[in-house]
């Protein structure tokens, strides 16, 4: 349902030259029940639910939408992110309210899809919240990314240790989003040099141009294991991240799969 939303622009995302995948971010109680990994190695191999869901999404795009590499799919290089790209947000490790609660309430599991590159590693400078978030911002707005042409959403993945450090310093998740919005910017000269200017005219009057429309376009989640690394997924930019609640046919939240699986 999320991928078929017009805002996701699957018709163009399936054929673009851009080397991005279709990230599937699951948040909420059903993630644990299904075994979708949110901890150590959640973006890597070894977890059946993550691999199966991510692969099923991309096989559907290839075989149903007919995105055939070299024919209708014009990806110049392609990307491992097009093979499987599914993970969950860690409820037990997050010091903040979860994404599904922000969107739909505590009892409703959410699924968010995002056309983006494979996640970029961010080595933690170990200097506190501002140093970490500035490093994430610098990684996200490299000159070679689509952010020099299009505004977009970003998935910002903090490790449990980093999230606890930031929260202990008194930062809310909204504080993190607002800081990133103010920091993730390109110099106007870099934007104009591209020659393909799609930014709203009022942004082009600024010396530093934001790469997001609003702070909430930074989708901040806690996942992964302990250690000094964060991750950020840089967007394609021609689509928006789209979320949907997991519900029954009558629209009520699907709270458990018990008794529903053979």
């Amino acid at each position: 349902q999320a991928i078929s939303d017009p805002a996701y622009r699957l018709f163009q995302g399936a054929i673009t030259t851009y080397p991005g995948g279709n990230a599937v971010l699951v948040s909420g109680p059903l993630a644990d029940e299904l075994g979708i990994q949110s901890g150590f190695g959640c973006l890597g191999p070894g977890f059946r639910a993550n691999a199966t869901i991510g692969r099923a999404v991309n096989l559907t795009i290839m075989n149903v939408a007919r995105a055939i590499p070299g024919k209708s799919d014009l990806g110049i290089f392609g990307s491992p992110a097009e093979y499987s790209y599914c993970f969950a947000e860690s409820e037990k490790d997050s010091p903040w309210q979860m994404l599904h609660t922000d969107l739909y309430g505590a009892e409703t599991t959410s699924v968010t899809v995002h056309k983006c590159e494979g996640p970029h590693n961010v080595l933690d400078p170990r200097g506190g919240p501002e140093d970490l978030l500035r490093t994430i911002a610098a990684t996200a707005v490299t000159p070679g990314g689509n952010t020099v042409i299009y505004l977009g959403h970003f998935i910002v993945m903090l490790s449990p240790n980093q999230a606890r450090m930031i929260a202990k310093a008194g930062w809310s998740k909204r504080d993190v989003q607002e800081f990133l919005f103010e920091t993730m910017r390109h110099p106007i000269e870099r934007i104009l040099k591209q020659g393909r200017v799609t930014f709203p005219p009022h942004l082009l009057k600024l010396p530093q141009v934001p790469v997001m429309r609003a702070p909430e376009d930074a989708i901040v989640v806690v996942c992964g294991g302990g250690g000094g690394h964060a991750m950020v997924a840089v967007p394609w930019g021609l689509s928006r991240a789209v979320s949907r609640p997991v519900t029954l046919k009558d629209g009520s939240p699907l709270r458990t799969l018990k008794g529903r699986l053979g």
Side-chain angles (χ1 to χ4, degrees):
Q1 292 174 358
I3 286 175
S4 65
D5 188 301
Y8 195 70
R9 294 175 64 90
L10 177 62
F11 68 93
Q12 188 172 357
I15 64 172
T16 178
T17 59
Y18 176 75
N22 299 279
V24 180
L25 165 59
V26 184
S27 176
L30 290 181
D32 284 342
E33 194 171 336
L34 286 168
I36 303 173
Q37 176 71 350
S38 63
F40 277 99
C42 62
L43 292 167
F47 303 100
R48 187 173 185 177
N50 300 50
T52 303
I53 294 169
R55 184 64 177 145
V57 166
N58 288 290
L59 280 174
T60 300
I61 292 172
M62 180 180 291
N63 295 321
V64 177
R66 306 302 295 166
I68 308 301
K71 295 183 179 179
S72 50
D73 178 354
L74 304 178
I76 296 171
F77 293 101
S79 168
E82 293 182 271
Y83 193 84
S84 182
Y85 201 165
C86 174
F87 65 104
E89 182 180 15
S90 177
E91 184 165 15
K92 67 182 180 66
D93 291 320
S94 180
W96 302 304
Q97 185 165 279
M98 298 272 286
L99 178 61
H100 69 98
T101 304
D102 290 341
L103 294 172
Y104 306 113
E107 296 184 339
T108 303
T109 297
S110 67
V111 175
T112 300
V113 294
H114 187 32
K115 183 73 175 180
C116 56
E117 296 176 28
H120 294 238
N121 176 61
V122 181
L123 181 62
D124 189 340
R126 300 184 182 275
E130 289 198 13
D131 280 352
L132 171 60
L133 295 175
R134 288 188 189 280
T135 305
I136 290 173
T139 303
V141 295
T142 56
N146 275 23
T147 59
V148 294
I149 301 174
Y150 307 112
L151 296 166
H153 290 84
F154 293 77
I155 302 178
V156 178
M157 294 160 261
L158 300 172
S159 74
N161 291 349
Q162 293 167 337
R164 284 191 287 267
M165 176 271 292
I166 294 170
K168 189 175 180 180
W171 292 53
S172 67
K173 183 162 64 171
R174 181 67 184 185
D175 292 332
V176 172
Q177 291 173 313
E178 291 180 352
F179 186 90
L180 290 173
F181 176 72
E182 295 296 334
T183 310
M184 290 167 60
R185 301 193 172 209
H186 287 295
I188 183 61
E189 295 81 9
R190 183 181 295 168
I191 299 292
L192 297 177
K193 186 177 180 180
Q194 286 293 322
R196 297 171 59 190
V197 178
T198 66
F199 290 81
H202 68 277
L203 295 183
L204 300 178
K205 298 177 182 178
L206 301 174
Q208 298 286 327
V209 181
V211 296
M212 297 181 284
R213 297 173 182 84
E216 52 268 26
D217 286 357
I219 303 169
V220 178
V221 295
V222 180
C223 57
H229 299 270
M231 299 287 257
V232 58
V234 179
W236 175 40
L238 281 166
S239 66
R240 293 174 180 260
V242 178
S243 299
R244 286 291 182 273
V246 181
T247 64
L248 299 168
K249 288 183 178 180
D250 63 4
S252 61
L254 176 58
R255 295 186 174 89
T256 181
L257 293 170
K258 293 176 181 176
R260 295 183 177 275
L261 299 177

